[in-house]
Amino acid sequence: MNLRRVKAIAGKEFIQIWRDPRSLGLGIAIPVILIVLFGYALSLDIDHVPMVVWDQDKSKESVDFLLNFKNSIYFSINAYYDNYRDLERDINYGRAMIGMVICKDFSHYLNSGQKAPVQLILDGSDSNTAQIALGYVTAITSAYNVNVITNALAKAGAPSVSTLDFRPRIWFNQDFESKNFIVPGLIAIIMMIIAALLTSLTVAREWERGTMEQLISTPVRPAELIVGKFIPYFAIGLLDLGIAVFMGKFVFDVPLRGNVFLLFILSSVFLTGALALGIYISTVAKNQLMASQMALLVSFLPTFLLSGFTYEIFNMPKIVQAFTYFIPARYFITILRGIYLKGVGIADLWFETLCLLLFTYLATGAAIKKFKKKIV
């Protein structure tokens, strides 16, 4: 490989990028826009679930029961009604997810030692959120029942009942903040978008503009051409990586417990493979429209949907789980979350690192082999 020819191709590509400020601006703005959007808008935390109440009893006991919901960060009581019509209207219009109806004799039932019925109407349109909200309601109701039973036993002079001493200990994300889970995974998405939107167009653009024939007529070899075109986008990708790490740390306060140097090294391996995949797509497509569509289908969508970034892989059907082993971002996201949240090193990430090295080797080899210096 002649380094002078590689340098000349890279210089030409740098100039071409510089003369296309839209592509350059897109490449730099993508990480900022994605991190702001995902960091602020995409939250997996379920709190302040909107709730409306019809308290038919209006006794001290019913108010005490409702205080458990009012003082919880997981619920927000938006309105108190005195009929079903208004309560159902709020649920139908999406202004409330939960409607709670406390029966008229709630306090009488409690004080007489009978079960006090409470009706819960739950909007199950969003099944995942509804299940989580139902879990919150069940937990609060169970704690209230324990208090009622404990107080009743104390009043009767009965000995206290021993209960389970449950001591949960949360590792790596003690506050259950979803941004700590999302922001590291975003780096993989950003890398893949750089490959999808920028790199996949580079060779196709040469064919469309008719400049590829001039390149073919030069002594430059296919490997030199691929490497020369790769270098500018690798620099943009590293800049994007730096922006993402900086914003994650200082804007969203995401803990980075592992080795920053290792993070950049392994990210560079994944970035190299993603860029090589983009160049391969560009070589196959030979026009920019098809290249961008293929890149979106082959790189971005699998990374977003099947890598574990937003959806847990163990919840997917078995056949889809098997398919995810062929998604390189799956291993990269494991690496990112391991370094960010768990502070682990290469000793714990060697398998994922080997998979990324294999992906990079295959993608680079395929890109170099596919590009041929001849006009078809």
Side-chain angles (χ1 to χ4, degrees):
M1 183 176 293
N2 189 313
L3 294 181
R4 289 183 60 188
R5 291 199 287 258
V6 171
K7 183 180 177 183
I9 294 293
K12 168 186 170 299
E13 199 65 27
F14 267 120
I15 293 173
Q16 198 157 344
I17 293 173
W18 184 255
R19 288 177 176 174
D20 186 5
R22 289 176 299 179
S23 297
L24 182 61
L26 194 65
I28 296 175
I30 281 174
V32 178
I33 294 172
L34 282 181
I35 288 184
V36 169
L37 283 179
F38 280 85
Y40 284 114
L42 181 60
S43 174
L44 303 179
D45 303 328
I46 307 295
D47 50 18
H48 300 293
V49 177
M51 180 177 177
V52 291
V53 173
W54 181 12
D55 183 2
Q56 299 176 353
D57 193 47
K58 294 183 179 176
S59 61
K60 177 181 177 299
E61 287 78 4
S62 65
V63 172
D64 285 345
F65 175 64
L66 288 174
L67 277 177
N68 291 283
F69 293 90
K70 191 174 182 179
N71 295 332
S72 170
I73 63 168
Y74 300 115
F75 297 97
S76 176
I77 299 179
N78 290 344
Y80 293 88
Y81 293 123
D82 58 1
N83 59 76
Y84 268 112
R85 185 186 64 253
D86 292 339
L87 187 143
E88 291 173 356
R89 182 198 59 213
D90 277 17
I91 294 177
N92 289 338
Y93 289 164
R95 291 195 287 264
M97 175 170 247
I98 292 177
M100 182 174 286
V101 181
I102 299 177
C103 72
K104 186 176 180 180
D105 298 321
F106 179 81
S107 56
H108 171 72
Y109 283 121
L110 280 182
N111 294 328
S112 60
Q114 301 179 62
K115 289 185 178 180
V118 175
Q119 184 181 25
L120 185 78
I121 302 172
L122 184 62
D123 181 358
S125 305
D126 182 349
S127 58
N128 186 53
T129 304
Q131 284 184 2
I132 294 174
L134 182 60
Y136 293 159
V137 174
T138 303
I140 289 178
T141 306
S142 299
Y144 181 81
N145 283 334
V146 169
N147 283 334
V148 169
I149 294 171
T150 304
N151 292 335
L153 290 174
K155 285 181 181 178
S160 60
V161 179
S162 298
T163 56
L164 182 69
D165 184 14
F166 182 55
R167 300 182 181 182
R169 185 178 177 188
I170 314 302
W171 285 15
F172 309 129
N173 189 9
Q174 290 84 352
D175 297 327
F176 297 111
E177 299 214 27
S178 59
K179 64 181 174 63
N180 293 347
F181 179 77
I182 290 173
V183 171
L186 263 180
I187 293 175
I189 301 295
I190 290 168
M191 298 295 104
M192 270 302 177
I193 287 181
I194 293 297
L197 294 184
L198 299 181
T199 320
S200 63
L201 306 180
T202 179
V203 176
R205 186 166 49 213
E206 300 280 4
W207 285 110
E208 280 193 352
R209 292 179 178 176
T211 53
M212 183 57 75
E213 289 82 355
Q214 298 173 12
L215 285 174
I216 289 175
S217 64
T218 64
V220 65
R221 295 177 178 175
E224 295 165 352
L225 180 64
I226 297 298
V227 173
K229 286 186 168 295
F230 162 86
I231 291 174
Y233 297 103
F234 184 78
I236 294 176
L238 282 184
L239 176 63
D240 289 343
L241 174 63
I243 293 173
V245 172
F246 178 84
M247 291 188 68
K249 177 68 177 176
F250 296 103
V251 177
F252 292 99
D253 198 25
V254 176
L256 178 49
R257 302 187 176 102
N259 189 312
V260 179
F261 182 71
L262 180 63
L263 173 68
F264 272 80
I265 291 293
L266 296 184
S267 297
S268 298
V269 174
F270 178 75
L271 178 62
T272 302
L275 294 176
L277 178 62
I279 292 175
Y280 174 79
I281 292 171
S282 186
T283 305
V284 172
K286 293 191 176 180
N287 73 74
Q288 295 188 61
L289 177 61
M290 182 176 289
S292 60
Q293 291 176 343
M294 286 179 62
L296 190 69
L297 187 66
V298 172
S299 61
F300 175 67
L301 287 181
T303 300
F304 191 81
L305 298 174
L306 301 177
S307 64
F309 170 63
T310 49
Y311 308 106
E312 291 293 352
I313 292 175
F314 60 76
N315 279 336
M316 299 176 184
K318 293 295 181 186
I319 188 169
V320 179
Q321 288 186 35
F323 183 71
T324 62
Y325 286 103
F326 297 97
I327 308 298
R330 168 188 175 138
Y331 308 104
F332 186 43
I333 286 179
T334 301
I335 289 173
L336 289 170
R337 287 175 177 157
I339 294 176
Y340 258 93
L341 300 179
K342 301 178 181 178
V344 296
I346 194 68
D348 297 300
L349 300 171
W350 64 268
F351 175 74
E352 288 77 11
T353 302
L354 284 179
C355 291
L356 286 190
L357 287 171
L358 178 63
F359 158 65
T360 301
Y361 172 77
L362 292 176
T364 306
I368 293 174
K369 188 174 181 180
K370 184 63 182 175
F371 181 79
K372 299 184 185 306
K373 287 188 64 178
K374 63 180 182 181
I375 301 174
V376 180

